[in-house]
Amino acid sequence: MNERIFSVAIDGPAGAGKSTVAKGVAKRLGIVYVDTGAMYRAIGLKTVRLGIPSDDAEKVGAILPDTEVTLGFIDGVQHVFLDGEDVSGLIRTQEVSNAASKVSAIPEVRFKMVELQQKLAENTSLTMDGRDICQYVLPNAEYKFFVTASPDARTSRRYKELSEKGTLGGMTFNELLVEMNERDKRDSGRDCMPLKKAPDAILIDTTYMNIEESIDAVMRYIGG
Ligand code: DC
């Protein structure tokens, strides 16, 4: 007998803790975690490397046919490959965050990524996080969540994460706050598949929750 295949879709703004929650939920359920932001980051990285303005739809569109983004799982951990190169370690800088946000507003980029994401979910139970998962990528997902937190809490978390990774690049807390606000505005203001809470997604505000409490909050709805 086939095991039941199901999806947990998680959307939310930058730094809300959604990837930590999605990863933790996947671990507890013994299913795969897919970070869709990494795919947009890989394309953002390519534009940075080529010196192409990340918001130039024509120029970005022109490199798309020769751009391959794939995901692989090594010991259960997602790796993202750009034209065959494992770029997982190179996509977490602020420069690439901003480039990813810009390329992700371009419809051709989104259509290509969404198709790949939908294929991944066809045969595997997974948690998938991003901005448009509940409404566009997996509209029939069994479980849908919108994970958010206050702008201050989100910036503090991202500040800590970047400091620990050594990729803060001398940015102050306030500069990061401004950049994150700009990114959220762009991600939710774009025409194509913007960041928006789906009407049927459960809102989880992690402002005053630690990681375990945030995972518990989601698990309460899934059971198990
Ligand atoms: O989740 P993240 O911060 O790694 O995502 C980087 C950027 O990619 C984000 O600013 C918006 C974009 N993105 C998107 O548009 N749709 C997704 N499903 C995931 C990310």
Side-chain angles (χ1 to χ4, degrees):
M1 252 217 344
N2 280 343
E3 257 185 58
R4 187 177 73 102
I5 289 178
F6 65 95
S7 307
V8 181
I10 303 183
D11 290 322
K18 60 184 186 309
S19 60
T20 312
V21 169
K23 214 182 284 174
V25 169
K27 198 167 170 205
R28 287 205 202 167
L29 295 172
I31 59 175
V32 170
Y33 160 58
V34 175
D35 162 17
T36 62
M39 301 169 84
Y40 295 97
R41 285 173 181 270
I43 298 188
L45 174 67
K46 184 155 178 171
T47 61
V48 170
R49 281 178 167 176
L50 293 175
I52 292 173
S54 313
D55 53 1
D56 187 325
E58 209 171 301
K59 291 203 170 111
V60 175
I63 63 163
L64 272 188
D66 299 319
T67 301
E68 193 190 49
V69 175
T70 50
L71 296 181
F73 296 88
I74 303 172
D75 294 331
V77 177
Q78 176 183 299
H79 287 246
V80 61
F81 297 85
L82 172 64
D83 301 326
E85 176 192 354
D86 186 348
V87 294
S88 314
L90 303 173
I91 56 169
R92 299 290 160 196
T93 63
Q94 248 334 84
E95 186 184 25
V96 174
S97 295
N98 292 330
S101 172
K102 288 178 185 167
V103 297
S104 75
I106 300 170
E108 292 96 305
V109 172
R110 301 206 69 80
F111 297 143
K112 186 165 171 161
M113 296 303 106
V114 168
E115 200 183 323
L116 284 168
Q117 292 154 11
Q118 288 174 332
K119 278 214 183 95
L120 277 172
E122 263 171 24
N123 304 311
T124 319
S125 291
L126 43 72
T127 64
M128 185 178 275
D129 81 349
R131 305 291 187 286
D132 56 343
I133 310 303
C134 296
Q135 302 221 77
Y136 301 100
V137 181
L138 304 175
N140 298 319
E142 281 73 7
Y143 305 101
K144 296 183 179 182
F145 298 93
F146 189 84
V147 175
T148 190
S150 71
D152 259 18
R154 296 193 288 106
T155 308
S156 300
R157 289 173 191 167
R158 194 41 66 84
Y159 190 82
K160 189 164 170 264
E161 183 190 328
L162 293 176
S163 313
E164 282 168 3
K165 283 193 186 131
T167 52
L168 197 53
M171 225 185 311
T172 65
F173 181 90
N174 277 335
E175 283 165 348
L176 186 63
L177 181 73
V178 169
E179 276 206 1
M180 284 184 57
N181 281 340
E182 268 173 20
R183 188 145 77 94
D184 287 339
K185 227 160 89 190
R186 188 166 42 233
D187 294 344
S188 45
R190 67 181 177 225
D191 291 332
C192 186
M193 307 179 204
L195 164 69
K196 193 169 183 263
K197 182 189 165 303
D200 54 350
I202 294 160
L203 179 75
I204 308 277
D205 185 334
T206 67
T207 305
Y208 300 107
M209 293 182 194
N210 63 27
I211 292 174
E212 286 307 307
E213 289 166 343
S214 308
I215 298 169
D216 286 344
V218 167
M219 289 300 292
R220 224 165 279 141
Y221 291 95
I222 299 176

